[in-house]
Amino acid sequence: EGPAMAARLEAAGCPRGKIRLQPLGVEVPMRPPPRDRRVEGPVVRFCARFVEKKGVFDALDAFAASRRRHPAARMQVVGEGAPEVEERIRRRIRETDLAGAVEVLPPVPYERLPDLFAAADLFLHPSRTASDGDTEGGAPTVIPFAAAHGLPVVSTVHADIPEVVADGRSGLLVPEGDVPALAAALDRLMADPALRRRMGEAGHAHAWERFRAEYTGRVLEAHYASLPGGG
């Protein structure tokens, strides 16, 4: 998917000359949909499996810190995990006084994701290296999908995420596991609707250029054509 994954393949013994970069394609609308403003205050969306590398607890702790300065903010956590992890999430929400501000929702079908994104103001996905060494490898596909729908992204410098989020242009990237930096990034976007709009527009443009399925299909076709006998 990107240079970070390519480096890991090479370190595992794959010859550099046999490695090609192939971005994953996502559905990109011609223009970002309008925001669905049904609540007062910014809405943060987290959408991932509840496993350690997705950083759900970092997301909750950062939101708790930033919400002290933005009391009208809301967060929706979409996903599922082991029952004990889901209980830990609900306990963390209670412990950080987020009851009523954070809603935990089950996974939704792919076709409903655009509606979820339209009802949010920014997308939070703080991936990190898990205690057992598990990482994203490349970049979560949901990040360019969220950007394609006009959401600025707050994420981390982890695996190939810097390849899908243009730091300072389509979103904000912080060191993985750095909750204060994550909270500061949320603060910056929550406080500035114009910045959210500019970054959302830049994210859509980046997704249209780099992650539209029509483009990634042509890249894949070119890889095959470059092989002996592939022309």
Side-chain angles (χ1 to χ4, degrees), residues 5-19:
M5 182 181 281
R8 289 174 68 90
L9 281 173
E10 186 175 359
C14 181
R16 179 180 297 185
K18 299 183 75 172
I19 298 173

Side-chain angles (χ1 to χ4, degrees), residues 5 15-16 50 55 72 109 114 137-139 142 154 157 168-169 171-172 191 195 211:
M5 182 181 281
R16 179 180 297 185
F50 298 155
V142 71
V154 175
V157 181
R169 192 164 65 87
L172 298 174
L195 178 62
F211 303 108

Side-chain angles (χ1 to χ4, degrees), residues 32-51:
R35 304 267 67 83
D36 183 4
R37 302 302 302 155
R38 298 185 185 182
V39 298
E40 204 174 313
V43 176
V44 178
R45 175 82 64 211
F46 174 94
C47 185
R49 291 180 295 126
F50 298 155
V51 294

Side-chain angles (χ1 to χ4, degrees), residues 96-152:
T96 52
D97 296 324
L98 291 177
V102 175
E103 185 179 11
V104 180
L105 301 173
V108 300
Y110 173 84
E111 59 269 16
R112 280 196 54 210
L113 280 176
D115 293 335
L116 283 181
F117 294 146
D121 294 288
L122 60 101
F123 189 70
L124 175 60
H125 200 298
S127 296
R128 60 181 297 155
T129 303
S131 54
D132 63 359
D134 190 20
T135 72
E136 297 289 2
T141 310
V142 71
I143 292 180
F145 194 85
H149 287 77
L151 287 183

Side-chain angles (χ1 to χ4, degrees), residues 3-198:
M5 182 181 281
R8 289 174 68 90
L9 281 173
E10 186 175 359
C14 181
R16 179 180 297 185
K18 299 183 75 172
I19 298 173
R20 301 289 186 274
L21 298 186
Q22 175 62 43
L24 298 180
V26 298
E27 183 179 354
V28 184
M30 289 191 66
R31 55 185 58 85
R35 304 267 67 83
D36 183 4
R37 302 302 302 155
R38 298 185 185 182
V39 298
E40 204 174 313
V43 176
V44 178
R45 175 82 64 211
F46 174 94
C47 185
R49 291 180 295 126
F50 298 155
V51 294
E52 187 179 356
K53 70 179 178 181
K54 300 297 183 180
V56 61
F57 293 101
D58 288 347
L60 290 170
D61 291 346
F63 179 74
S66 62
R67 189 173 178 271
R68 298 187 190 107
R69 293 172 289 278
H70 307 276
R74 298 291 182 269
M75 181 177 180
Q76 290 182 325
V77 176
V78 182
E80 65 180 353
E84 61 272 18
V85 177
E86 294 191 7
E87 176 52 36
R88 282 181 58 209
I89 289 171
R90 289 179 169 81
R91 186 164 63 246
R92 184 67 62 87
I93 289 171
R94 294 192 299 269
E95 291 170 349
T96 52
D97 296 324
L98 291 177
V102 175
E103 185 179 11
V104 180
L105 301 173
V108 300
Y110 173 84
E111 59 269 16
R112 280 196 54 210
L113 280 176
D115 293 335
L116 283 181
F117 294 146
D121 294 288
L122 60 101
F123 189 70
L124 175 60
H125 200 298
S127 296
R128 60 181 297 155
T129 303
S131 54
D132 63 359
D134 190 20
T135 72
E136 297 289 2
T141 310
V142 71
I143 292 180
F145 194 85
H149 287 77
L151 287 183
V153 176
V154 175
S155 190
T156 49
V157 181
H158 172 88
D160 279 313
I161 291 175
E163 296 299 305
V164 300
V165 179
D167 186 26
R169 192 164 65 87
S170 67
L172 298 174
L173 298 179
V174 305
E176 61 177 89
D178 190 337
V179 172
L182 204 59
L186 288 176
D187 281 346
R188 183 178 172 191
L189 282 168
M190 285 183 183
D192 195 337
L195 178 62
R196 294 199 302 266
R197 185 174 58 254
R198 289 196 303 272

